[in-house]
Amino acid sequence: MRVDNFARENLPPREHWPEFRLDDLGYPERLNCVTELLDAWLARGHGARPAMGTPDETWSYADLAARVNRIAGVLTRQLGVAPGNRVLLRAPNTPMLVAATLAVIKAGAIAVPTMPLLRAGELRFVVEKARIGVGLCDHRLLDEASRAGLDRIVAIGGGGADSLLSLMAAEPDVFAACDSRADDVCLIAFTSGTTGVPKGTMHFHRDILATCDTYGRHVLRAAPADVFTGSAPIAFTFGLGAIVLFPLRIGASTILLEQASPERLLELIRARRVTVCFTAPTAYRAMLPMLRPGDTDALRICISAGEALPKATWEAWHAATGIAILDGIGSTEMLHIFIGAPVEAIRPGATGLPVPGYDAKLIDAEGRDLPPGSVGRLAVRGPTGCRYLADPRQAIYVQNGWNVTGDTYRQDADGFFWFQARNDDMIVSSGYNIAGPEVEAALIGHEAVAECAVVGVPDAARGTIVKAFVVLRPGHAASDALARALQDYVKAEIAPYKYPRSVVFLDALPRTESGKVKRFALRGPTPQEA
Ligand code: 3UK
């Protein structure tokens, strides 16, 4: 069989790899992760159980497996995709996108998911960097994809004679999984590019299972009867793990939403008795005022990641629903969450402890270890880790075998990790070190504040000043008096020198498609003020 070694040949040099700790996981040398996530359930007689759905339809494990097998047939027999080839994927969160992603991996090829909002130029970068020939693209998103430089694009949905569904009709619903190695690349996930040109992070078959068997097993602890949902795009590894990998690994089910606004998320939780919800801190906050009695009766596990979960949000959600949100920090490089806390160990405001299987520590600017109680740069290692596709920035993320995430943390005497800021969000003003997120966590406790972001901006006198961008709750109007009230509020909550000297009201915060505040956009000239 033809095998394409591009990914293997473009892994970073060994000396730049992080150290991997796989001891307890015991994966065999040959492993196709889709066999474990899907086929194993059919073999165990679980085929009729629900696997993937939308608010309108539900696919059983057998239904999903049949789609995966037909698509794998289309890829290998009709589109000429060989093991190791990269395949671009582009669609909103739909069951067919999940089937297509798993099919690519089952066939031994490499899935390259892309965010639905990417434009042709951004897609072209991905296509060239990962040398992609074939793309599977939702029919509603073909326009930009058609100008991305792919050799062949097959439409998902839309009905034409050459659409994926038509091609699938000619294929049987069985497909023998490619006999991959556990350390074959099966996924290239691109970073969002907020910190420069996007980086392609490469993940192996074993990594896909490892995140489920560490975070999923020891922290999330969901069960086969659980019904998952979440708002993150599957193209973001947070979403991929949350609503595809974790539920499939344990035989549970997921309901996907194409437009997962807080309103729709809550409506789904209520109507479909969702039990596990993955979303961003701001979505929990936004759902709070919409909650009606009984809405969250079935819900039992809530996970927040992507940005720090402010203590005020944790407390308000807990007071309203009785549910203790699990905060967790993950990254595209690490694939998923590596610090979090199981429900009995939560400290509101802290991210948590290293997920079993991972080690975490703090280091100083020279890379020396810091003792607990210090504030420093976070370094982690475990079964997953950073391997950039042909990128010199590998040496920045991986230092001395540890993944250095770019975050400043404090570790307390009990070993808990408390997020301070992204390294570049530490504000140095008049000689003081101020963590923007700490000021945000204080501000958000004020009743008028719906959302906020705090950054350092240049100032002639002080070098840098603390500036807050605030979105108000309905019923509150922007005014100088309110700005002063917010400043006074912060001074009463945290050390007064941290208060925002400038307060600007906005209608909405600028966010990335993965839901993060675009802080870099706020550091420049002030966006449109409300
Ligand atoms: C920040 C957090 C504080 C942090 C992600 C869960 O966010 C994910 O991946 P990205 O590559 O960004 C990584 C960076 O985001 N961050 C994420 N979670 C938290 N900061 N508290 C948190 N709970 O700066 C990190 O370095 O976009 C999250 C799972 C998979 C992911 N890819």
Side-chain angles (χ1 to χ4, degrees), residues 236-238 305-308 327-333 335-337 351 405 407 409 419 422 516:
F236 179 27
T237 63
F238 176 38
E307 290 188 304
D327 191 3
I329 179 174
S331 72
T332 309
E333 288 83 353
L335 189 56
H336 220 277
I337 296 174
T351 314
T405 65
D407 298 291
Y409 260 85
F419 179 75
R422 289 283 309 164
K516 292 186 211 288

Short mmCIF file of all heavy atoms in Angstrom, two decimals, residues 236-238 305-308 327-333 335-337 351 405 407 409 419 422 516, ligand 1:
data_model
loop_
_atom_site.label_atom_id
_atom_site.label_comp_id
_atom_site.label_asym_id
_atom_site.label_seq_id
_atom_site.Cartn_x
_atom_site.Cartn_y
_atom_site.Cartn_z
N PHE A 236 -11.89 22.82 17.17
CA PHE A 236 -11.11 23.26 18.32
C PHE A 236 -10.98 22.01 19.18
O PHE A 236 -11.98 21.36 19.47
CB PHE A 236 -11.92 24.37 19.00
CG PHE A 236 -11.35 24.99 20.23
CD1 PHE A 236 -9.99 25.04 20.47
CD2 PHE A 236 -12.21 25.58 21.16
CE1 PHE A 236 -9.49 25.65 21.62
CE2 PHE A 236 -11.73 26.19 22.30
CZ PHE A 236 -10.36 26.22 22.54
N THR A 237 -9.76 21.65 19.60
CA THR A 237 -9.62 20.36 20.29
C THR A 237 -10.44 20.31 21.58
O THR A 237 -10.80 19.24 22.04
CB THR A 237 -8.15 19.99 20.59
OG1 THR A 237 -7.58 20.95 21.48
CG2 THR A 237 -7.33 19.92 19.30
N PHE A 238 -10.74 21.48 22.16
CA PHE A 238 -11.63 21.50 23.33
C PHE A 238 -12.97 20.85 22.94
O PHE A 238 -13.48 19.98 23.65
CB PHE A 238 -11.84 22.94 23.81
CG PHE A 238 -12.81 23.11 24.95
CD1 PHE A 238 -12.87 22.20 25.98
CD2 PHE A 238 -13.66 24.21 24.99
CE1 PHE A 238 -13.76 22.36 27.05
CE2 PHE A 238 -14.55 24.39 26.05
CZ PHE A 238 -14.61 23.46 27.07
N ALA A 305 -13.70 25.63 30.22
CA ALA A 305 -12.29 25.72 29.81
C ALA A 305 -12.16 26.74 28.71
O ALA A 305 -13.16 27.24 28.19
CB ALA A 305 -11.76 24.37 29.34
N GLY A 306 -10.92 27.04 28.36
CA GLY A 306 -10.63 28.01 27.30
C GLY A 306 -10.14 29.31 27.89
O GLY A 306 -9.22 29.94 27.36
N GLU A 307 -10.74 29.73 28.98
CA GLU A 307 -10.33 30.92 29.71
C GLU A 307 -10.55 30.63 31.18
O GLU A 307 -11.29 29.71 31.53
CB GLU A 307 -11.21 32.12 29.34
CG GLU A 307 -10.99 32.63 27.95
CD GLU A 307 -11.75 33.93 27.71
OE1 GLU A 307 -12.98 33.95 27.90
OE2 GLU A 307 -11.12 34.92 27.34
N ALA A 308 -9.95 31.44 32.03
CA ALA A 308 -10.11 31.24 33.46
C ALA A 308 -11.58 31.42 33.85
O ALA A 308 -12.27 32.28 33.33
CB ALA A 308 -9.24 32.22 34.23
N ASP A 327 -13.51 23.57 36.47
CA ASP A 327 -12.64 24.38 35.61
C ASP A 327 -11.51 23.46 35.15
O ASP A 327 -11.18 22.48 35.83
CB ASP A 327 -12.07 25.56 36.42
CG ASP A 327 -11.36 26.60 35.55
OD1 ASP A 327 -11.34 26.44 34.30
OD2 ASP A 327 -10.82 27.56 36.12
N GLY A 328 -10.93 23.75 33.99
CA GLY A 328 -9.80 22.94 33.53
C GLY A 328 -9.04 23.71 32.48
O GLY A 328 -9.64 24.35 31.62
N ILE A 329 -7.71 23.67 32.58
CA ILE A 329 -6.91 24.29 31.52
C ILE A 329 -6.40 23.22 30.58
O ILE A 329 -5.86 22.20 30.99
CB ILE A 329 -5.73 25.14 32.06
CG1 ILE A 329 -4.93 25.73 30.89
CG2 ILE A 329 -4.82 24.35 32.98
CD1 ILE A 329 -3.82 26.70 31.30
N GLY A 330 -6.62 23.49 29.29
CA GLY A 330 -6.09 22.62 28.25
C GLY A 330 -5.46 23.49 27.19
O GLY A 330 -5.49 24.72 27.29
N SER A 331 -4.87 22.86 26.20
CA SER A 331 -4.35 23.64 25.07
C SER A 331 -4.37 22.77 23.83
O SER A 331 -4.43 21.54 23.92
CB SER A 331 -2.94 24.15 25.36
OG SER A 331 -2.01 23.09 25.32
N THR A 332 -4.30 23.42 22.68
CA THR A 332 -4.29 22.70 21.42
C THR A 332 -3.05 21.80 21.37
O THR A 332 -3.11 20.68 20.88
CB THR A 332 -4.28 23.72 20.26
OG1 THR A 332 -5.36 24.64 20.48
CG2 THR A 332 -4.49 23.04 18.92
N GLU A 333 -1.93 22.30 21.90
CA GLU A 333 -0.68 21.54 21.90
C GLU A 333 -0.80 20.27 22.74
O GLU A 333 -0.26 19.23 22.39
CB GLU A 333 0.46 22.40 22.47
CG GLU A 333 0.93 23.52 21.55
CD GLU A 333 0.08 24.78 21.63
OE1 GLU A 333 -0.98 24.76 22.30
OE2 GLU A 333 0.47 25.80 21.01
N LEU A 335 -3.57 18.79 23.48
CA LEU A 335 -4.80 18.16 23.00
C LEU A 335 -6.01 18.49 23.88
O LEU A 335 -7.03 18.92 23.38
CB LEU A 335 -4.67 16.63 22.87
CG LEU A 335 -5.84 15.93 22.17
CD1 LEU A 335 -6.10 16.50 20.78
CD2 LEU A 335 -5.58 14.44 22.07
N HIS A 336 -5.88 18.29 25.20
CA HIS A 336 -7.03 18.62 26.05
C HIS A 336 -6.58 19.02 27.45
O HIS A 336 -5.44 19.45 27.63
CB HIS A 336 -8.07 17.49 26.04
CG HIS A 336 -9.47 18.00 26.00
ND1 HIS A 336 -10.13 18.41 27.13
CD2 HIS A 336 -10.30 18.24 24.96
CE1 HIS A 336 -11.32 18.86 26.78
NE2 HIS A 336 -11.45 18.78 25.47
N ILE A 337 -7.47 18.86 28.42
CA ILE A 337 -7.23 19.40 29.76
C ILE A 337 -6.15 18.61 30.51
O ILE A 337 -6.20 17.38 30.55
CB ILE A 337 -8.55 19.44 30.57
CG1 ILE A 337 -9.53 20.41 29.87
CG2 ILE A 337 -8.31 19.85 32.02
CD1 ILE A 337 -10.92 20.43 30.48
N THR A 351 -7.67 26.62 39.16
CA THR A 351 -7.88 25.70 38.03
C THR A 351 -7.89 24.26 38.53
O THR A 351 -8.63 23.43 38.03
CB THR A 351 -6.80 25.88 36.96
OG1 THR A 351 -6.61 27.26 36.70
CG2 THR A 351 -7.18 25.18 35.67
N THR A 405 3.43 26.41 28.61
CA THR A 405 2.18 26.79 27.94
C THR A 405 2.04 28.28 27.65
O THR A 405 1.14 28.67 26.93
CB THR A 405 0.97 26.38 28.81
OG1 THR A 405 1.03 27.14 30.04
CG2 THR A 405 1.00 24.90 29.14
N ASP A 407 1.55 30.43 30.22
CA ASP A 407 0.69 30.96 31.26
C ASP A 407 1.46 31.19 32.55
O ASP A 407 2.34 30.42 32.90
CB ASP A 407 -0.45 29.96 31.56
CG ASP A 407 -1.32 29.76 30.34
OD1 ASP A 407 -2.03 30.70 29.97
OD2 ASP A 407 -1.26 28.67 29.73
N TYR A 409 1.17 31.17 36.52
CA TYR A 409 0.34 30.54 37.54
C TYR A 409 0.94 30.74 38.91
O TYR A 409 2.13 31.02 39.06
CB TYR A 409 0.24 29.02 37.27
CG TYR A 409 -1.06 28.62 36.58
CD1 TYR A 409 -1.17 28.68 35.20
CD2 TYR A 409 -2.15 28.20 37.32
CE1 TYR A 409 -2.36 28.33 34.56
CE2 TYR A 409 -3.34 27.85 36.69
CZ TYR A 409 -3.45 27.92 35.32
OH TYR A 409 -4.62 27.58 34.71
N PHE A 419 -4.63 30.30 38.22
CA PHE A 419 -4.28 31.06 37.02
C PHE A 419 -4.07 32.53 37.35
O PHE A 419 -4.88 33.13 38.06
CB PHE A 419 -5.40 30.91 35.99
CG PHE A 419 -5.16 31.66 34.71
CD1 PHE A 419 -4.25 31.21 33.78
CD2 PHE A 419 -5.86 32.83 34.44
CE1 PHE A 419 -4.02 31.90 32.60
CE2 PHE A 419 -5.65 33.53 33.26
CZ PHE A 419 -4.72 33.07 32.34
N ARG A 422 -2.11 35.00 31.02
CA ARG A 422 -1.18 34.62 29.96
C ARG A 422 0.07 35.46 30.22
O ARG A 422 -0.04 36.60 30.67
CB ARG A 422 -1.74 35.01 28.58
CG ARG A 422 -2.91 34.21 28.08
CD ARG A 422 -2.57 32.85 27.56
NE ARG A 422 -1.49 32.85 26.58
CZ ARG A 422 -0.83 31.74 26.22
NH1 ARG A 422 -1.11 30.57 26.76
NH2 ARG A 422 0.12 31.80 25.32
N LYS A 516 -12.47 32.95 22.95
CA LYS A 516 -11.57 33.71 23.83
C LYS A 516 -11.60 35.20 23.50
O LYS A 516 -11.73 35.57 22.33
CB LYS A 516 -10.13 33.23 23.62
CG LYS A 516 -9.87 31.85 24.12
CD LYS A 516 -8.39 31.58 23.98
CE LYS A 516 -8.09 30.15 23.71
NZ LYS A 516 -8.31 29.28 24.84
C1 3UK B 1 -5.84 29.40 28.11
C2 3UK B 1 -7.06 28.81 30.21
C3 3UK B 1 -7.12 29.75 32.31
C4 3UK B 1 -4.41 29.24 28.57
C5 3UK B 1 -8.24 24.29 25.23
C6 3UK B 1 -9.34 22.94 26.91
O1 3UK B 1 -8.11 26.66 25.31
C7 3UK B 1 -7.70 25.64 24.80
O2 3UK B 1 -6.71 25.62 23.84
P1 3UK B 1 -6.00 26.86 23.12
O3 3UK B 1 -4.84 26.33 22.39
O4 3UK B 1 -5.52 27.83 24.29
C8 3UK B 1 -4.69 27.40 25.35
C9 3UK B 1 -4.56 28.53 26.36
O5 3UK B 1 -5.87 28.98 26.75
N1 3UK B 1 -6.75 28.56 28.92
C10 3UK B 1 -7.42 27.47 28.54
N2 3UK B 1 -8.17 27.00 29.55
C11 3UK B 1 -7.97 27.81 30.61
N3 3UK B 1 -6.64 29.77 31.05
N4 3UK B 1 -7.99 28.82 32.78
C12 3UK B 1 -8.45 27.84 31.97
N5 3UK B 1 -9.33 26.94 32.43
O6 3UK B 1 -3.76 30.46 28.29
C13 3UK B 1 -3.88 28.13 27.65
O7 3UK B 1 -2.48 28.13 27.55
O8 3UK B 1 -7.01 27.64 22.33
C14 3UK B 1 -8.87 24.17 26.47
C15 3UK B 1 -9.20 21.82 26.13
C16 3UK B 1 -8.59 21.91 24.89
C17 3UK B 1 -8.11 23.16 24.44
N6 3UK B 1 -7.51 23.21 23.20
#
